[in-house]
Amino acid sequence: MKITLKDGSVKEYAQAMSVIDIAADLSEGLARVACAGEVDGKVVDLRTVIDKDCTVNILTANDPDGLRTIRHTASHVLAEAVKRLYPNAKLAIGPSIDEGFYYDFEAEPFSREDLDKLEAEMKKIIKEGNKLEKYTLPREEAIKFMQEKGEPYKVELIEDLPQDAEISFYSQGEFTDLCAGPHLMSTKNIKAFKLISSSMAYWRGDANKARLQRIYGTAFNKKEELTAYLEQLEDAKRRDHNKLGREMELFTTVDVVGQGLPLFPPKGTKMIMKLQRWIEDLEDKEWGYVRTRTPLMAKSDLYKISGHWDHYKDGMFVLGDEEKDKEVFALRPMTCPFQYYVYKNTQKSYRDLPYRMSETSTLFRAEDSGEMHGLTRVRQFTITEGHNVIRPDQAEEELSNCFNLAYHILSVLGLEKDVTFRLSKWDPANKKKYLGDENYWESTQGVLRKLLIEKNVPFVEADGEAAFYGPKIDIQAKNVYGKEDTMITIQLDCAIAENFDMYYVDQNGEKKRPYIIHRTSMGCYERTLAWLIEKYAGKFPTWLCPEQVRVLPISEKYSEYAETVRKELAKNGVDVTVDNRSEKIGYKIREARMDRLPYMLVVGQQEEENGLVSVRSRFAGDEGQKPLQEFIDQICEEIRTKAIREEQVLEETAK
């Protein structure tokens, strides 16, 4: 057989060869660091035997799939350690993930001390260096094997496999686990690992099923890589909006109010207000939108027309019972059906299109309690939601405009380099979930694909991520822990107008169905605030800061001048306060730094006599004395242009 290697060279073998044997034939050094193989583009176990012509690539820890193999094997070592220390624990699943691995167990919650004990046990297992051996069993034997071991979750997994599926196991010494692989050849090949945390998880992600305990860990090929990752993780914890946002008094949650229902104190409220005013002015004055205001709830009749009742009811807060009540209402999970009736309020001609409606919409979604997290996953949120009703011939230009607006907003916020793009498509294997036929979906997806190509942005395509009425462009971002969320979406809908009898009158006086673009310009205010907190570690651009300047009088004698400075700044629209406490100026400066303020203005005798302020900033430290009006002009220009000044690391001592 002929084996084509990554570099294009060809090796010929007279007999079947395993991937690890091919690696050893190429180089003993390569075999020692091999983690998995890639055969005709498919990742396989090193034990896989090849008996026909194909392309082969040996994967090491430098390859993403090679690193995943290390982490997958580490998850099995964790499972063995848990079974050694907690024999009554039941095994669920233990995959590798982007940042490492996890394993779910039916067990008592694990403390940090428990994780430390498990790490020590894992080190013993790795030192033992047992080889991982793969074997298969017929379905009935496999089920009996796991029943005898008292592993009900493994039994359920086997029973759910297709009838013709290969049921494989990996053993390492005394421990055996159901697994499809791939895995390393030996536990000793795990060089560096760390158990990060533990949390509750539901079996198969279903809140109606068993509550399990999930242990998260990570593994790398080198200790230096692990150290760098752990340092990055510590930085992530410092930036975590769920922690930092509460410390900065930007938001809070209260049990008696409810999970996923954040409260915003004055500072967080002010930031959201600044974002909202900016977005509304931008859309209305520069991008041609009209503003609407629609109810927070509606009868079920509305959602039945739109299709949400059939496709999205489980995600809605329903008020009433259809079997008992004459009228059943639901809090709105989206604004689109409401705005359709705004459009229908007056007859539109082809000259009136595009008709761009936007609303600062408060929405409600019945998220599972296990999904709630800070401001990124909530049950009530506010969004910059809009619907552009267009003629079919306007689709490409209007989609481009929606993309440009979203990208402009990202750029102003300094977030444009932190996003990725996804073309979210239908799932042709689940056609009942969607409106329209295959031709409809292929054509609408093609329009969005063409736009992304023209915008010259890299993107991925994802089946099953479309809305039930049309495909969408999702602009994605990751939080500090690597979890990805959708921040902005642009959807093309060529079907729903029929449901609502929406039309425009064309140049021939005939009624025509419009297309609709569902879009957000910035997205959800709550999620965007979380993103900004983590992006800037709380050190926001000046225009967004709830407190932009703090005036610090050296002593009480200069409180009157400090108040004069405050009034002049406030008169020019600057958010400013005065610190009149009887504290030393060094203490006041340190506190202002801890509060991440952009500017501090120190005032004393010299400043009062000459109409000056001594400027200290987050950006350049001590900027020296400036005439008050010069500073006002400077900061007002910075706010007006929404400039993002570069931060500098400053180690000055406050005197």
Side-chain angles (χ1 to χ4, degrees), residues 571-583:
K571 189 167 67 177
N572 285 272
V574 179
D575 290 310
V576 54
T577 62
V578 177
D579 186 347
N580 272 322
R581 293 175 301 166
S582 299
E583 300 284 356

Side-chain angles (χ1 to χ4, degrees), residues 255-272:
D255 287 343
V256 295
V257 173
Q259 195 177 13
L261 300 171
L263 305 175
F264 292 92
K267 291 180 181 179
T269 300
K270 181 162 282 190
M271 287 190 69
I272 287 179

Side-chain angles (χ1 to χ4, degrees), residues 32 41 50 159 260 281 289 351 381 408 438 454 462 545 587 654:
R32 283 194 297 271
I50 300 170
E159 290 175 339
D281 283 346
Y289 284 80
R351 294 189 183 91
F381 56 95
H408 169 73
E438 188 169 344
E454 288 176 349
C545 289
Y587 179 84

Side-chain angles (χ1 to χ4, degrees), residues 271-329:
M271 287 190 69
I272 287 179
M273 286 173 61
K274 289 183 179 189
L275 287 167
Q276 181 178 333
R277 288 168 179 165
W278 169 52
I279 293 294
E280 290 179 353
D281 283 346
L282 186 67
E283 289 181 337
D284 299 355
K285 296 177 181 178
E286 299 183 35
W287 291 80
Y289 284 80
V290 295
R291 197 140 297 275
T292 67
R293 184 177 175 87
T294 57
L296 300 182
M297 68 174 75
K299 294 194 298 184
S300 59
D301 305 49
L302 178 70
Y303 304 116
K304 289 174 182 176
I305 295 170
S306 68
H308 289 100
W309 201 253
D310 292 331
H311 295 276
Y312 201 77
K313 184 181 176 183
D314 290 344
M316 298 166 66
F317 289 103
V318 178
L319 311 176
D321 187 327
E322 285 188 287
E323 295 182 2
K324 299 177 182 178
D325 300 317
K326 185 177 180 180
E327 291 184 329
V328 174
F329 287 78

Side-chain angles (χ1 to χ4, degrees), residues 320-346:
D321 187 327
E322 285 188 287
E323 295 182 2
K324 299 177 182 178
D325 300 317
K326 185 177 180 180
E327 291 184 329
V328 174
F329 287 78
L331 299 177
R332 64 180 184 185
M334 72 296 294
T335 314
C336 41
F338 298 85
Q339 287 194 330
Y340 299 157
Y341 282 99
V342 172
Y343 173 84
K344 284 166 61 72
N345 187 51
T346 58

